[in-house]
């Protein structure tokens, strides 16, 4: 028989009108249509990186020579502070101007391209009043300079090979170069590596923080010199800050910085009270004996 076989599916062959056609592949979107989406994604990622991870900063002065030169670009780690990390001795940190340290300094006038690049974090913002220095003391430390040095932290002298050649670790002047300070909790004491050309904590002791930088004002730690390319390199903590015993006086310094006279009075007062009470008891007994003798 020429008819369809029993149980068949209709026996459609290639080209039969009853067969469903395969879906045609979608035409890929043109590059020019995708470009705006890619740009938006890149901008969002750049803003997130600038806000939470890493930001570029430009070195505006010679105060950190030779570690950093004027015009260098550094990358600053902004991530670890979000997890509670605090500045450590020896770190190079960027921080907001705590109390008009930059008074009188000229403000840059960026063009439109520079403003845009700073907005997405590829260039430092001209509006942000930030400084970069090395952390020398943290909360609880006693930091001091006598004569031309060495710089002392908790009674331990620092060997500072990063200090600008020809400079002395301490500056001999009466504007702040000679000092002994106790760093309170929640603050840091910072100094430039170009010691005789840095207006740092030493020369701002008359401000409301007495030259200290609040930890909350620290933007992050400078970790890499990124530009120019021939100066690329990391910014590790120098070995001098790892010396044994440098932490031993931190807690004592923190306590004494609050009220050393108060501690002394508190220690002596019980002895004075005890001696006075003891003297009163002896005098009372003597009076009783005298009275008994008269009777």
């Amino acid at each position: 028989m020429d008819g369809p076989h029993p149980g068949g599916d209709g026996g459609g062959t290639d080209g039969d009108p009853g067969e469903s056609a395969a879906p045609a592949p979608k035409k890929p979107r043109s590059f020019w249509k995708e470009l705006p989406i890619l740009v938006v994604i890149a901008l969002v990622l750049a803003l997130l990186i600038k806000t939470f991870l890493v930001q570029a900063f430009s070195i505006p002065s010679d105060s950190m020579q030779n570690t950093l030169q004027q015009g260098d670009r550094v990358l600053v780690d902004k991530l670890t502070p979000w997890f509670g990390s605090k500045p450590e001795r020896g770190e190079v940190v960027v921080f907001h101007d705590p109390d008009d340290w930059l008074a009188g300094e000229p403000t840059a006038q960026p063009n439109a391209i520079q403003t845009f690049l700073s907005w997405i974090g590829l260039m430092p913002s001209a509006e942000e009043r930030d400084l970069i220095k090395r952390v020398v003391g943290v909360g609880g430390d006693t930091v001091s300079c006598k004569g031309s040095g060495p710089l002392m932290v908790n009674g331990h002298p620092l060997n500072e090979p990063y200090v600008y050649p020809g400079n002395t670790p301490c500056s001999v002047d009466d504007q702040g170069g000679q000092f002994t300070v106790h760093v309170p909790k929640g603050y840091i004491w910072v100094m430039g590596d170009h010691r005789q050309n840095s207006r740092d904590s030493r020369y701002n002791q008359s401000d409301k923080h007495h030259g200290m930088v609040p930890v909350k004002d620290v933007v992050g730690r400078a970790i890499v010199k990124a530009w120019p390319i021939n100066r690329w390199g990391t910014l590790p903590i120098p070995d001098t800050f790892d010396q044994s015993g440098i932490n031993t006086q931190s807690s004592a310094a923190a306590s004494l910085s609050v009220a050393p006279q108060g501690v002394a009075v508190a220690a002596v007062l019980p002895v004075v009270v005890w001696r006075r009470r003891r003297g009163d008891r002896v005098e009372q007994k003597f009076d009783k004996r005298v009275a008994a003798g008269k009777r």
Side-chain angles (χ1 to χ4, degrees), residues 23-239:
K26 291 184 178 180
K27 186 178 179 180
R29 186 178 296 172
S30 70
F31 169 76
W32 296 110
K33 289 183 178 179
E34 288 189 347
L35 182 60
I37 299 174
L38 295 174
V39 170
V40 170
I41 293 174
L43 288 176
V44 170
L45 289 175
L47 287 172
L48 289 174
I49 290 172
K50 170 190 173 182
T51 303
F52 300 106
L53 300 178
V54 176
Q55 186 174 355
F57 284 86
S58 176
I59 306 305
S61 70
D62 296 329
S63 67
M64 283 296 294
Q65 285 182 311
N66 276 334
T67 304
L68 298 172
Q69 302 285 359
Q70 187 173 168
D72 283 355
R73 299 289 194 276
V74 297
L75 299 182
V76 173
D77 168 23
K78 300 176 71 174
L79 176 64
T80 50
W82 286 91
F83 294 94
S85 175
K86 303 298 182 185
E88 298 181 7
R89 301 183 200 95
E91 291 181 349
V92 176
V93 297
V94 171
F95 55 94
H96 299 312
D97 188 342
D99 190 33
D100 262 353
W101 288 19
L102 293 172
E105 294 291 331
T107 301
Q109 301 296 326
N111 57 37
I113 295 176
Q114 291 171 330
T115 300
F116 175 74
L117 292 175
S118 67
W119 181 68
I120 62 174
L122 296 180
M123 283 190 68
S125 173
E127 298 176 358
E128 294 178 354
R129 305 285 281 175
D130 297 327
L131 300 98
I132 184 166
K133 306 290 180 188
R134 189 180 298 278
V135 179
V136 172
V138 297
D141 283 349
T142 299
V143 185
S144 62
C145 259
K146 293 182 179 180
S148 59
L151 178 66
M152 307 283 286
V153 177
N154 296 328
H156 293 266
L158 297 184
N159 175 29
E160 301 183 281
Y162 46 81
V163 169
Y164 184 75
N167 278 193
T168 54
C170 298
S171 300
V172 182
D173 58 51
D174 56 0
Q175 283 81 49
Q178 302 289 288
F179 62 88
T180 296
V181 296
H182 306 298
V183 185
K185 295 297 183 182
Y187 291 83
I188 55 176
W189 180 268
V190 298
M191 296 173 68
D193 289 355
H194 196 163
R195 290 291 157 81
Q196 274 77 63
N197 189 20
S198 175
R199 186 166 180 81
D200 46 42
S201 288
R202 297 170 294 171
Y203 301 107
N204 289 282
Q205 296 184 63
S206 60
D207 71 10
K208 64 181 179 181
H209 301 301
H210 308 293
M212 313 291 175
V213 177
V215 170
K216 65 180 180 61
D217 287 343
V218 175
V219 176
R221 175 187 173 186
I223 52 175
V224 171
K225 291 178 288 186
W227 190 263
I229 196 66
N230 63 324
R231 285 186 46 76
W232 190 96
T234 58
L235 295 167
I237 296 177
D239 293 340

